Amino acid sequence: MRRYSRVTGTGSYLPPRRLTNDDLARQLAEKGIETSDEWIVERTGIKARHFAAPEVCSSDLALQAARPALAAAGLDASQIDLIVVATSTPDMVFPSTACLLQHKLGAEGGAAFDVQAVCSGFVYALSVADAMIQTGAANKALVVGAEVFSRILDFNDRTTCVLFGDGAGAVVLEASETPGILASDLHADGKHAGILCVPGHVSGGKVLGDPLLKMDGQAVFKLAVGVLETSARAVLAKADKTAAEIDWLIPHQANIRILQSTAKRLKLGMDKVMVTVDQHGNTSAASIPLALDAGIRAGSIVPGQLLLLEGVGGGFTWGSVLLNL
Ligand code: ACO
């Protein structure tokens, strides 16, 4: 009998420090940098974001998201045999944030590793965990997106520092006789590495190059809307479904205009798009599981619905996962 994987629990966590656009504008004004709530809302749809305290790392946020996901699935961490963490802001160069999370959860022995695909990280991680469950390499997986993007923001660059926030989201994925995940679609094109990157690296005990985020916003925007449409169509075709059958589009929360444009291209009303970018900003790999959990906990996303999860980000990377909840 064919094995599938199925989401059996979700959880998420936002650090308590919330900054509205006005709060951020006041902070930037102290450095002589001008921005406004009006500009940020009009260009991005973002109204607020959360920033973690300096001592809080991605694994701490991941832990707070994983606990409610495990509780929702009715599982103890000791029953998890695979942990995949999607992050571009790991606690350390190594070991992986997934290993640190495993220990914080009080578990041991299962496989644990990180996936680095920036804002597409969660759909990459979910696809990998799904494939491992399908082949029998794992039975019960914890898949987490966790980021402290505030650590890599250049607060002297108003074109990027207003866009991002910190947070984590988690899902438990279990082997099932019925799907679950119907199809996934992953891509990358490294020739676009320069349009969205953190070019620094560690060498000889020093950080060489610039360790802060650089982005060509307009180039990212153009690429993002194109690949989100083609990936959505590809994953729907793989599962023999149409866009009209989607109950919820849960896209990476980069910018409300990217979300609106994707919905329009797929002929979906915005009432079918889960939107959290207004309250969370762009939390990179954490944004999709944060939006999924928010929708489930609000009672909007319910079992039996068809969900299309889509990510796009640095690399350039992009991809989709289509699933029955
Ligand atoms: N506050 C006030 N003014 C600003 C700010 C700011 N925070 N940032 C830029 N400006 C100014 C610029 O200096 C420029 O001024 P000028 O006309 O005097 O030169 C003006 O606003 C317009 O700047 P643009 O860069 O042309 O603005 P644009 O409409 O392209 O919006 C944005 C910029 C929001 C970054 C947009 O390009 C975008 O959303 N791109 C997508 C990028 C994205 O979402 N990245 C997220 C990471 S990737 C991912 O997750 C997929």
Side-chain angles (χ1 to χ4, degrees), residues 247-248 250 292 301 305-309 321-325:
D247 291 299
W248 285 104
I250 308 169
L292 173 64
I301 301 176
Q305 288 185 327
L306 183 67
L307 313 183
L308 175 57
L309 280 48
V321 173
L322 188 70
L323 64 94
N324 272 325
L325 192 62

Side-chain angles (χ1 to χ4, degrees), residues 35 39 43 119 158-159 196 215 217-218 252 254-255 282 312:
T35 189
W39 191 96
R43 304 287 176 128
C119 304
R158 67 177 182 175
T159 67
L196 180 54
M215 181 176 72
Q218 289 181 3
H252 166 52
N255 179 316
N282 179 346
V312 58

Side-chain angles (χ1 to χ4, degrees), residues 5-11 68-75 80 139-141 170-176 296 323-325:
S5 75
R6 190 164 207 118
V7 171
T8 56
T10 65
L70 288 166
L75 293 179
I80 295 291
N139 289 308
K140 295 182 192 306
V171 306
V172 173
L173 205 60
E174 293 187 66
S176 161
I296 288 174
L323 64 94
N324 272 325
L325 192 62

